[in-house]
Short mmCIF file of all heavy atoms in Angstrom, two decimals:
data_model
loop_
_atom_site.label_atom_id
_atom_site.label_comp_id
_atom_site.label_asym_id
_atom_site.label_seq_id
_atom_site.Cartn_x
_atom_site.Cartn_y
_atom_site.Cartn_z
N VAL K 10 101.06 111.04 110.14
CA VAL K 10 101.60 112.34 109.80
C VAL K 10 102.96 112.32 109.51
O VAL K 10 103.87 111.98 110.41
CB VAL K 10 101.19 113.49 110.78
CG1 VAL K 10 101.56 114.86 110.11
CG2 VAL K 10 99.72 113.43 111.15
N ILE K 29 90.56 116.23 117.22
CA ILE K 29 89.35 116.42 116.61
C ILE K 29 88.53 115.18 116.42
O ILE K 29 87.27 115.05 116.47
CB ILE K 29 89.55 117.13 115.18
CG1 ILE K 29 88.32 117.84 114.70
CG2 ILE K 29 90.05 116.10 114.17
CD1 ILE K 29 88.57 118.79 113.58
N SER K 47 107.36 115.07 121.32
CA SER K 47 106.48 116.28 121.48
C SER K 47 105.00 115.87 121.53
O SER K 47 104.26 116.41 122.34
CB SER K 47 106.77 117.29 120.38
OG SER K 47 108.08 117.71 120.43
N GLN K 61 89.39 116.98 128.74
CA GLN K 61 88.49 115.91 128.23
C GLN K 61 88.12 116.20 126.75
O GLN K 61 87.92 117.39 126.40
CB GLN K 61 87.21 115.91 129.10
CG GLN K 61 87.42 115.62 130.52
CD GLN K 61 88.01 114.18 130.74
OE1 GLN K 61 87.73 113.21 130.10
NE2 GLN K 61 88.95 114.07 131.59
N PRO K 62 88.03 115.16 126.02
CA PRO K 62 88.32 113.84 126.21
C PRO K 62 89.81 113.53 126.31
O PRO K 62 90.61 114.18 125.64
CB PRO K 62 87.70 113.03 125.07
CG PRO K 62 87.78 114.00 123.94
CD PRO K 62 87.57 115.35 124.54
N SER K 68 105.03 106.72 123.66
CA SER K 68 106.26 107.28 122.93
C SER K 68 107.13 106.09 122.85
O SER K 68 107.63 105.43 123.85
CB SER K 68 106.89 108.39 123.61
OG SER K 68 108.19 108.67 123.05
N THR K 77 103.50 97.42 118.73
CA THR K 77 102.57 98.24 119.48
C THR K 77 101.31 98.40 118.65
O THR K 77 100.24 98.43 119.23
CB THR K 77 103.19 99.68 119.77
OG1 THR K 77 104.50 99.46 120.42
CG2 THR K 77 102.29 100.67 120.46
N ASP K 79 99.97 96.46 116.58
CA ASP K 79 99.14 95.14 116.65
C ASP K 79 98.41 95.09 117.95
O ASP K 79 97.24 94.48 117.87
CB ASP K 79 100.07 93.96 116.39
CG ASP K 79 100.58 93.81 115.05
OD1 ASP K 79 99.94 94.48 114.02
OD2 ASP K 79 101.55 93.25 114.74
N TYR K 85 90.77 100.49 119.31
CA TYR K 85 90.34 101.93 119.08
C TYR K 85 89.83 102.17 117.56
O TYR K 85 90.17 101.47 116.76
CB TYR K 85 91.66 102.86 119.25
CG TYR K 85 92.20 102.85 120.58
CD1 TYR K 85 93.06 101.82 121.11
CD2 TYR K 85 91.82 103.74 121.49
CE1 TYR K 85 93.60 101.85 122.38
CE2 TYR K 85 92.12 103.80 122.87
CZ TYR K 85 93.08 102.79 123.23
OH TYR K 85 93.58 102.84 124.57
N ASP K 91 102.60 109.84 114.79
CA ASP K 91 103.44 111.00 114.50
C ASP K 91 104.82 110.46 114.33
O ASP K 91 105.45 109.92 115.20
CB ASP K 91 103.36 111.91 115.75
CG ASP K 91 104.21 113.20 115.43
OD1 ASP K 91 104.68 113.42 114.46
OD2 ASP K 91 104.50 114.02 116.45
N ILE K 111 99.08 112.15 106.07
CA ILE K 111 99.04 113.57 105.84
C ILE K 111 100.45 114.06 105.73
O ILE K 111 101.34 113.90 106.65
CB ILE K 111 98.26 114.30 107.08
CG1 ILE K 111 96.86 113.70 107.12
CG2 ILE K 111 98.25 115.80 106.89
CD1 ILE K 111 96.13 114.24 108.35
N LYS K 125 108.80 115.36 96.47
CA LYS K 125 109.07 114.25 95.59
C LYS K 125 109.73 113.06 96.36
O LYS K 125 109.40 111.85 96.16
CB LYS K 125 109.93 114.75 94.53
CG LYS K 125 109.28 115.63 93.45
CD LYS K 125 110.19 116.05 92.39
CE LYS K 125 109.43 116.88 91.27
NZ LYS K 125 110.39 117.34 90.19
N LYS K 126 110.58 113.38 97.37
CA LYS K 126 111.15 112.31 98.04
C LYS K 126 110.10 111.53 98.93
O LYS K 126 110.13 110.38 99.09
CB LYS K 126 112.19 112.93 99.07
CG LYS K 126 113.51 113.38 98.31
CD LYS K 126 114.48 113.91 99.28
CE LYS K 126 115.77 114.43 98.56
NZ LYS K 126 116.79 115.02 99.45
N LYS K 129 108.18 109.15 96.84
CA LYS K 129 108.89 107.91 96.58
C LYS K 129 108.70 106.91 97.81
O LYS K 129 108.54 105.78 97.61
CB LYS K 129 110.33 108.12 96.42
CG LYS K 129 110.69 108.84 95.13
CD LYS K 129 112.19 108.97 94.95
CE LYS K 129 112.51 109.63 93.55
NZ LYS K 129 114.00 109.86 93.34
N HIS K 132 105.24 105.64 97.56
CA HIS K 132 105.10 104.52 96.53
C HIS K 132 105.70 103.25 96.97
O HIS K 132 105.16 102.22 96.71
CB HIS K 132 105.94 104.95 95.26
CG HIS K 132 105.13 106.03 94.48
ND1 HIS K 132 103.91 105.94 94.00
CD2 HIS K 132 105.64 107.27 93.93
CE1 HIS K 132 103.55 107.01 93.29
NE2 HIS K 132 104.57 107.89 93.25
N ALA K 161 103.77 124.52 91.14
CA ALA K 161 104.59 123.38 91.08
C ALA K 161 104.23 122.22 91.90
O ALA K 161 104.15 121.09 91.41
CB ALA K 161 106.13 123.65 91.29
N ASN K 164 100.78 120.88 90.50
CA ASN K 164 100.96 120.17 89.39
C ASN K 164 101.52 118.75 89.58
O ASN K 164 101.09 117.84 88.90
CB ASN K 164 101.82 120.97 88.25
CG ASN K 164 101.10 122.13 87.84
OD1 ASN K 164 99.93 122.24 87.73
ND2 ASN K 164 101.89 123.08 87.26
N VAL K 166 101.32 117.10 92.50
CA VAL K 166 100.23 116.29 93.25
C VAL K 166 99.21 115.79 92.22
O VAL K 166 98.75 114.62 92.37
CB VAL K 166 99.63 117.08 94.34
CG1 VAL K 166 98.49 116.30 95.02
CG2 VAL K 166 100.73 117.36 95.46
N ILE K 179 97.39 125.51 106.42
CA ILE K 179 97.61 125.65 107.89
C ILE K 179 98.55 126.81 108.05
O ILE K 179 99.76 126.56 107.98
CB ILE K 179 98.05 124.35 108.62
CG1 ILE K 179 97.06 123.16 108.15
CG2 ILE K 179 98.05 124.46 110.10
CD1 ILE K 179 95.65 123.43 108.63
N ALA K 188 97.84 126.83 122.29
CA ALA K 188 97.03 125.67 122.55
C ALA K 188 97.84 124.40 122.87
O ALA K 188 97.60 123.72 123.84
CB ALA K 188 96.02 125.40 121.48
N VAL K 195 93.60 123.35 118.95
CA VAL K 195 93.28 124.81 118.69
C VAL K 195 91.85 125.23 118.94
O VAL K 195 91.49 126.23 119.43
CB VAL K 195 93.84 125.22 117.26
CG1 VAL K 195 92.98 124.62 116.26
CG2 VAL K 195 93.81 126.72 117.19
N ARG K 203 90.02 132.27 114.96
CA ARG K 203 88.95 131.57 114.34
C ARG K 203 89.44 130.85 112.99
O ARG K 203 89.06 129.79 112.65
CB ARG K 203 87.73 132.43 114.02
CG ARG K 203 86.59 131.75 113.31
CD ARG K 203 85.44 132.71 113.24
NE ARG K 203 84.30 132.18 112.45
CZ ARG K 203 84.24 132.07 111.12
NH1 ARG K 203 85.24 132.55 110.38
NH2 ARG K 203 83.14 131.43 110.56
N ARG K 214 87.96 117.58 107.31
CA ARG K 214 86.90 117.36 106.34
C ARG K 214 87.46 116.72 105.05
O ARG K 214 86.79 115.93 104.37
CB ARG K 214 86.12 118.73 105.92
CG ARG K 214 85.14 119.20 107.04
CD ARG K 214 84.59 120.59 106.62
NE ARG K 214 83.90 120.42 105.43
CZ ARG K 214 82.58 120.21 105.30
NH1 ARG K 214 81.89 119.98 106.49
NH2 ARG K 214 81.89 120.17 104.25
N ALA K 215 88.62 117.09 104.71
CA ALA K 215 89.31 116.48 103.67
C ALA K 215 89.47 115.05 103.89
O ALA K 215 89.30 114.11 102.92
CB ALA K 215 90.68 117.17 103.35
N ARG K 218 86.16 113.00 103.42
CA ARG K 218 85.69 112.78 102.06
C ARG K 218 86.36 111.43 101.52
O ARG K 218 85.74 110.78 100.67
CB ARG K 218 86.18 113.91 101.15
CG ARG K 218 85.35 115.19 101.44
CD ARG K 218 85.58 116.25 100.30
NE ARG K 218 84.87 117.40 100.64
CZ ARG K 218 85.31 118.41 101.41
NH1 ARG K 218 86.54 118.25 101.88
NH2 ARG K 218 84.58 119.44 101.66
N SER K 220 87.01 109.00 103.65
CA SER K 220 86.28 107.92 104.55
C SER K 220 85.00 108.23 105.15
O SER K 220 85.01 109.08 106.03
CB SER K 220 87.30 107.48 105.66
OG SER K 220 86.77 106.53 106.56
N SER K 227 79.67 118.19 115.09
CA SER K 227 78.77 119.22 115.64
C SER K 227 79.42 119.99 116.72
O SER K 227 79.29 121.21 116.99
CB SER K 227 77.49 118.77 115.92
OG SER K 227 77.55 117.74 117.01
N ILE K 243 91.80 120.96 95.88
CA ILE K 243 92.21 122.00 94.81
C ILE K 243 92.28 121.15 93.57
O ILE K 243 92.90 120.09 93.45
CB ILE K 243 93.45 122.70 95.09
CG1 ILE K 243 93.19 123.58 96.34
CG2 ILE K 243 93.88 123.54 93.94
CD1 ILE K 243 94.45 124.27 96.86
#
Side-chain angles (χ1 to χ4, degrees):
V10 187
I29 203 168
S47 299
Q61 300 295 322
S68 172
T77 302
D79 289 342
Y85 294 88
D91 185 9
I111 300 172
K125 288 180 177 179
K126 290 180 181 178
K129 288 182 179 179
H132 286 310
N164 291 337
V166 172
I179 308 299
V195 69
R203 181 177 177 276
R214 286 175 62 90
R218 290 189 183 89
S220 176
S227 57
I243 294 174

